Amino acid sequence: MTSTDPSPTPLPLLGATEIRRLAEEIGVRPTKTLGQNFVIDGNTIRRIVAAANVDPGETVLEVGPGLGSLTLGLLDAAARVVAVEIDPVLAAKLPSTVAAFRPELAGNLDVVLSDAMRVTELPAEPTALVANLPYNVAVPVVLHLLEHFPSLKHGLVMVQDEVADRMVAGPGSKTYGVPSVKGAWYSQMRKAGVIGMNVFWPAPKISSGLVGFVRHEPPVTRASREQVFAVIDAAFAQRRKTLRAALAGWAGGAAEAEKYLREAGVDPSARGEVIDVAAYARIAEAKLPFTA
Ligand code: SAM
């Protein structure tokens, strides 16, 4: 093709017919347990890839490549794709699907058969995470990957729309919760769109949301990430209570909780849903013994 071609041929992406044929070939029946809803619409793939802002030199980590819809789009935009899939039948099939549809890109793919919530080693250092995530484990997968792969600088994930709203929520919002605060420890998250149900096979019963993120430094604190996350978990385990009451168990009593909250500059009668991740870090730090 030359640059003067008036209408370039659309890239070969997988549509409903190809997806069903591939699934049939390997005897795959999508399961709910593994959140298997495959994208059957090339425009949705183009939209996800465009929103992901992947540079051509990047290595992308894709979680749950499934039958390869998004993988083909990502291979086109990036230098390398590392795809982590838990289903052995899907993982085994992926290289041949890519070889059939885009043989020139097949060498740029690594498939890792693993649970993305446990993976700690990859064959290449990814700088971006782009995935249509299995919905039941979307948040733990994102948090695990941000923790274990500091090379990940940005990303775009598709999750249930209501989970997307929780991930991007700020303090004071109704949807602000554990995913929002823990997500904010690692990154700035933003909502990047809503996707309808009919672009999937099988179609889920709810809409999906796109969440983009850019990694930032966590708050500066002497407390470890685990210590800060313990305060967050305690605060939201009883989100209707004041922080003084909700953190009593964590602090060793309501009086101690009040003392740590005051030291951290947080009103003890406030609720956990109104304070940001930096405040959680200060509360965790207030409990630590003073070291000169
Ligand atoms: N990327 C494909 C697409 O867009 O058509 C499939 C997305 S589907 C929503 C989720 C995929 O994640 C499935 O292929 C499923 O087998 C895989 N999966 C589920 N749990 C997983 C886990 N813990 N680790 C890695 N992959 C997982």
Side-chain angles (χ1 to χ4, degrees):
M1 196 195 305
T2 69
S3 56
T4 53
D5 279 351
S7 54
T9 323
L11 297 167
L13 291 170
L14 305 174
T17 317
E18 291 85 13
I19 287 287
R20 286 211 179 81
R21 184 175 50 73
L22 286 168
E24 216 174 275
E25 264 173 40
I26 52 175
V28 160
R29 291 218 181 153
T31 76
K32 254 198 174 163
T33 338
L34 291 179
Q36 293 176 336
N37 300 93
F38 303 113
V39 175
I40 51 170
D41 174 53
N43 285 333
T44 302
I45 296 300
R46 286 184 199 95
R47 189 173 155 199
I48 295 173
V49 174
N53 291 322
V54 171
D55 284 336
E58 283 195 277
T59 294
V60 175
L61 171 58
E62 184 190 2
V63 169
L67 290 161
S69 304
L70 182 55
T71 319
L72 285 169
L74 290 172
L75 280 166
D76 219 42
R80 187 147 213 92
V81 174
V82 178
V84 176
E85 173 60 61
I86 201 170
D87 184 326
V89 179
L90 293 174
K93 176 70 180 167
L94 189 61
S96 64
T97 302
V98 172
F101 284 84
R102 296 301 300 275
E104 74 284 14
L105 301 177
N108 299 348
L109 172 71
D110 292 296
V111 181
V112 177
L113 175 62
S114 181
D115 179 345
M117 279 194 294
R118 292 175 204 283
V119 71
T120 50
E121 266 180 56
L122 292 171
E125 269 204 346
T127 49
L129 168 67
V130 186
N132 171 14
L133 289 173
Y135 288 175
N136 43 354
V137 292
V139 172
V141 164
V142 171
L143 295 176
H144 171 85
L145 296 173
L146 284 169
E147 176 59 25
H148 289 275
F149 298 98
S151 62
L152 287 172
K153 296 295 178 237
H154 71 114
L156 185 99
V157 292
M158 177 146 70
V159 299
Q160 274 179 36
D161 194 35
E162 71 177 68
V163 174
D165 289 337
R166 269 188 256 148
M167 288 168 83
V168 305
S173 141
K174 255 199 225 153
T175 47
Y176 188 63
V178 173
S180 339
V181 200
K182 291 187 179 175
W185 173 266
Y186 299 102
S187 68
Q188 173 78 46
M189 297 201 168
R190 66 174 201 287
K191 184 95 179 262
V194 177
I195 305 274
M197 303 160 225
N198 296 333
V199 301
F200 298 94
W201 173 71
K205 291 197 173 70
I206 37 175
S207 301
S208 303
L210 299 178
V211 175
F213 64 85
V214 176
R215 188 188 283 273
H216 58 199
E217 287 300 315
V220 176
T221 172
R222 287 192 298 122
S224 67
R225 196 233 351 130
E226 287 83 354
Q227 287 166 333
V228 179
F229 279 20
V231 185
I232 298 168
D233 288 332
F236 284 98
Q238 306 180 69
R239 66 181 290 150
R240 298 277 149 238
K241 290 198 173 169
T242 63
L243 282 165
R244 183 199 291 111
L247 296 184
W250 163 82
E256 286 84 352
E258 171 143 4
K259 175 172 162 266
Y260 299 142
L261 286 159
R262 291 205 185 283
E263 266 177 48
V266 175
D267 176 359
S269 63
R271 289 180 180 159
E273 58 205 21
V274 301
I275 63 168
D276 67 7
V277 68
Y280 278 104
R282 292 198 305 275
I283 299 167
E285 186 168 307
K287 194 184 174 199
L288 299 180
F290 182 75
T291 49

